[in-house]
Amino acid sequence: MADVAQSTNVGTVPVKRSKLMKKLQNKSLWRGVVALVGFVLFWEVCSQKLYMGVDVPWIGKIPPPTEVYDEWKKIFFWPGYWESFYLSTARVFAGFAMAQLIGIPFGLLLAINRYFRDIFFPPFEVLRPIPPLAWVPASIVFWPTTEMSIAFVTFLGAFFTIVINVLGGARNIDVQYLRAAKSMGATQWDLFTKVILPGTLPSIFTGAAVGMGITWEVVLAGEMLSGGGQQGGGGLGFFIWSSYMGGTVAQVIVGMISIGIAGYLSSSFIRYIGVVSMPWRRLF
Amino acid sequence: MSDSVNSRGAISIRNLTKIYDPDGVNVMAVDNCSLEIAAGEVCMIVGPSGCGKTTLLNGIAGFHSVTEGEIYLDDELLCGPSKPKAEQGADRMVVFQHGALFPWKTLAENVAYGPMVQGVLKKNEALEKAGHMLAEAGLGDVGHKYPGEVSSGMARRAEIVRALINDPKVLLLDEPYRAMDSLTKSIMHEALLEVYDRTKVTIFFITHDLEEAIFLGDRVAIMTTRPATIKKIVDVKIPRPRSYETLSSEEFRKLVDETKEAVHEEAIKAFEAGERELA
Ligand SMILES: Nc1ncnc2c1ncn2[C@@H]1O[C@H](COP(=O)(O)OP(=O)(O)OP(=O)(O)O)[C@@H](O)[C@H]1O
Ligand SMILES: [Mg+2]
């Protein structure tokens, strides 16, 4: 569309804007930047203890961003911090990958096979409402190591969401697509690979995005509960917990922001994969 | 059409009855309906909303079973007492009411789908043929686009191309141009007539637009209110190829009026039946 508009300038050579320039000219991006900067400024101003000795309620109790930044500069060189980052991310991705690997085929089977659904859907529905954290004690009993029980609970957190999304997506595929494909001679396998699978992809990615969020939640909570492994190596959840127990509030906030960044990167990653694998949704 | 070069695609619907969910809500949609459609004929189906037009189409296409009666395609039994549900097949291609191009495939990939899954062409051959056929239909430069990127008119034309690549005996269309503006519609009509003149494929075309019915059809079958049966058949003897001048001819207006009157009668019956049900 943009190309057409540009080439109507008869006589002038259409200038192809680079991808980066296009991104920089994107108004949404700038609104986002302004909002983030505004938020940090607001926080800075409100958390200064300059108001005749009176704190601004709530926000006045927390250290200002400048102090958090100083703290973060220190922490930046702790190997334990990066190890925590790495451990949490690894746990999240391991649990998440397992949940996808098992959840997607399981959801698809529920959707396409009545016998499978009759047998597995009822127990699934009974287990689904149990929050992942309620599994922690039982999980610690089942599994020999703490690491395995965290992994298991993480897996569960994403698994149920993924299955429900895949099932819903596959069952909601317009019957006309199936009819059209079948009229054109598609076999059951063609229907599965060329209609049901691509038709379910959007829901698979919705499930992945939500599942990723839950996975982070569960990993961090698991880490806090388990108390981590060796000193400083228990993941970001344990990092926050131990900062709270023995460190500073600024350190806790560094941990929180780190999680925010990690979560943002994870969901960006999923969005990116989604855009690449569903080119038909990248319209205009 | 008497000058039809096509000797295949005759549909014979004999004493067809369709009851939905006979043990439950028990809706009789079609009642003892018979209709003969000649090979290469354009048969238009009109009738009040909810009378059973789509039900009839679904029976022919094999999307659901029929309760009683038979449907034949060129003397081959599609469905009947021994075989309540016709097998779906590429000899009867459907163009759907809301469009059913696969959103995840480009127009060319959509068109290439049939020959590919049937294994008659390899992927690149099928895509090449699809490209040619799209170009023939005036869609040569949008073959690489996804259905969501083109206008509804283009998508519907591509869908007809997707049907035609399978060389069907019959095209089944269920209100394909509903909700299109009149300009787009007239482009669609021209495109369809062009396809028809070239292929002489039998066309079973459901519509609510009576002018469309007369303009396109060799015959217009008017259905009664539910349960549907044929109320009246209007023969359209306007010669082909037809052009937009046809629309203003005396003969055309007379046929539209004749059809309108019959449909109106049924619509009123349907309305009164609805009132009785509510009362
Ligand atoms: N699966 C079903 N179960 C029960 N009743 C049904 C079912 N499908 C359709 N019907 C009923 O059968 C009747 C005929 O439906 P059909 O879709 O064939 O009508 P139609 O003539 O195509 O209507 P429209 O002009 O609105 O498209 C309607 O009253 C409808 O409510
Ligand atoms: Mg209908």
Side-chain angles (χ1 to χ4, degrees):
Chain A
M1 283 287 128
D3 292 28
V4 175
Q6 279 172 16
S7 55
T8 51
N9 281 335
V10 189
T12 61
V13 184
V15 187
K16 241 194 144 86
R17 282 184 286 167
S18 74
K19 255 190 173 162
L20 183 71
M21 278 303 282
K22 253 186 197 159
K23 261 209 166 128
L24 287 178
Q25 281 167 8
N26 183 339
K27 281 206 179 109
S28 309
L29 178 81
W30 284 110
R31 281 188 206 117
V33 169
V34 168
L36 275 178
V37 171
F39 170 74
V40 172
L41 278 177
F42 173 77
W43 173 11
E44 180 71 44
V45 171
C46 291
S47 52
Q48 297 293 334
K49 310 213 182 308
L50 298 174
Y51 308 98
M52 295 173 281
V54 184
D55 285 351
V56 176
W58 192 75
I59 202 163
K61 296 237 187 311
I62 59 172
T66 40
E67 202 183 315
V68 173
Y69 178 68
D70 287 338
E71 187 71 29
W72 189 66
K73 274 197 300 197
K74 265 191 279 166
I75 292 173
F76 196 82
F77 296 102
W78 292 3
Y81 169 68
W82 292 107
E83 203 184 337
S84 297
F85 226 112
Y86 165 75
L87 277 175
S88 295
T89 310
R91 283 179 185 137
V92 165
F93 275 84
F96 179 77
M98 278 307 282
Q100 293 284 354
L101 230 53
I102 299 175
I104 293 174
F106 186 78
L108 287 171
L109 272 171
L110 284 179
I112 61 176
N113 190 303
R114 186 147 57 89
Y115 301 107
F116 193 85
R117 188 162 62 247
D118 286 349
I119 295 168
F120 289 102
F121 194 61
F124 175 82
E125 274 302 273
V126 172
L127 295 179
R128 189 164 68 96
I130 303 172
L133 294 183
W135 285 88
V136 170
S139 169
I140 290 173
V141 175
F142 294 157
W143 298 95
T145 67
T146 313
E147 195 58 48
M148 283 169 101
S149 42
I150 294 183
F152 177 68
V153 174
T154 309
F155 160 80
L156 282 181
F159 176 75
F160 290 106
T161 307
I162 288 166
V163 171
I164 279 298
N165 272 283
V166 171
L167 174 62
R171 307 267 303 163
N172 270 330
I173 291 176
D174 194 333
V175 65
Q176 297 199 330
Y177 298 139
L178 296 166
R179 285 174 168 177
K182 229 172 147 197
S183 292
M184 289 187 278
T187 58
Q188 290 296 323
W189 179 247
D190 290 324
L191 285 186
F192 181 72
T193 56
K194 302 216 177 75
V195 180
I196 295 177
L197 217 49
T200 312
L201 267 188
S203 312
I204 290 181
F205 279 98
T206 309
V210 180
M212 182 58 98
I214 299 178
T215 314
W216 270 105
E217 250 170 66
V218 174
V219 165
L220 294 167
E223 287 169 351
M224 286 189 189
L225 285 173
S226 71
Q230 62 274 49
Q231 180 57 35
L236 288 172
F238 181 70
F239 177 86
I240 291 186
W241 193 249
S242 57
S243 302
Y244 171 67
M245 301 302 276
T248 63
V249 181
Q251 212 173 322
V252 171
I253 293 175
V254 169
M256 289 169 69
I257 294 177
S258 306
I259 293 164
I261 293 171
Y264 173 77
L265 291 177
S266 315
S267 47
S268 300
F269 171 70
I270 289 175
R271 262 199 302 278
Y272 175 75
I273 306 273
V275 167
V276 170
S277 53
M278 298 186 293
W280 68 93
R281 300 205 126 205
R282 193 177 24 183
L283 307 176
F284 322 117
Chain B
M1 288 280 296
S2 49
D3 62 342
S4 158
V5 292
N6 201 349
S7 58
R8 43 173 229 159
I11 301 173
S12 170
I13 300 169
R14 302 180 192 165
N15 307 102
L16 196 81
T17 297
K18 169 67 184 178
I19 300 173
Y20 283 108
D21 194 12
D23 308 319
V25 283
N26 193 338
V27 180
M28 185 186 262
V30 177
D31 181 17
N32 199 14
C33 173
S34 296
L35 179 65
E36 295 289 329
I37 302 171
E41 178 184 329
V42 181
C43 185
M44 309 295 290
I45 311 290
V46 302
S49 256
C51 74
K53 303 180 291 294
T54 301
T55 304
L56 201 55
L57 181 144
N58 286 347
I60 302 171
F63 297 154
H64 60 46
S65 64
V66 302
T67 314
E68 263 172 56
E70 294 117 43
I71 304 176
Y72 289 86
L73 175 61
D74 292 333
D75 300 320
E76 172 206 343
L77 181 79
L78 288 180
C79 56
S82 57
K83 183 183 161 198
K85 190 168 164 197
E87 212 144 298
Q88 292 180 44
D91 51 353
R92 288 151 284 141
M93 292 302 308
V94 179
V95 175
F96 293 89
Q97 189 161 358
H98 303 291
L101 286 175
F102 305 126
W104 48 85
K105 287 183 181 294
T106 63
L107 298 191
E109 287 166 351
N110 262 287
V111 174
Y113 187 81
M116 257 172 63
V117 292
Q118 288 159 34
V120 294
L121 291 180
K122 289 206 193 69
K123 186 172 180 183
N124 54 343
E125 295 168 340
L127 280 172
E128 195 176 319
K129 186 166 180 192
H132 286 310
M133 291 192 66
L134 282 168
E136 250 177 352
L139 298 167
D141 45 1
V142 290
H144 63 284
K145 295 206 171 183
Y146 288 99
E149 294 175 292
V150 301
S151 69
S152 63
M154 283 180 176
R156 217 43 66 85
R157 267 151 62 203
E159 202 172 346
I160 291 177
V161 176
R162 179 174 78 169
L164 290 173
I165 199 171
N166 297 292
D167 193 24
K169 293 179 181 169
V170 186
L171 268 188
L172 303 163
L173 301 103
D174 193 348
E175 299 185 59
Y177 310 141
R178 182 182 213 167
M180 279 184 188
D181 61 275
S182 56
L183 184 63
T184 311
K185 232 183 196 183
S186 66
I187 294 170
M188 294 293 119
H189 291 162
E190 236 168 88
L192 185 69
L193 285 177
E194 191 275 321
V195 162
Y196 175 72
D197 288 333
R198 197 150 38 87
T199 61
K200 289 286 188 265
V201 61
T202 307
I203 292 179
F204 178 99
F205 190 126
I206 299 174
T207 181
H208 272 118
D209 179 339
L210 305 181
E211 303 204 348
E212 175 176 86
I214 303 290
F215 182 62
L216 296 175
D218 293 316
R219 288 193 307 159
V220 179
I222 301 158
M223 305 194 75
T224 62
T225 165
R226 187 175 70 82
T229 183
I230 305 296
K231 176 188 176 75
K232 180 176 184 177
I233 291 188
V234 175
D235 274 304
V236 184
K237 295 241 162 57
I238 303 171
R240 290 181 195 277
R242 295 178 191 164
S243 71
Y244 278 85
E245 276 132 55
T246 313
L247 292 175
S248 48
S249 74
E250 174 77 14
E251 195 182 0
F252 180 82
R253 298 263 42 114
K254 245 176 56 202
L255 288 168
V256 171
D257 286 343
E258 185 184 339
T259 314
K260 204 173 268 174
E261 205 171 305
V263 174
H264 193 66
E265 228 176 81
E266 287 307 312
I268 286 180
K269 271 191 213 159
F271 181 73
E272 283 172 350
E275 296 242 289
R276 264 201 307 280
E277 246 164 60
L278 287 175

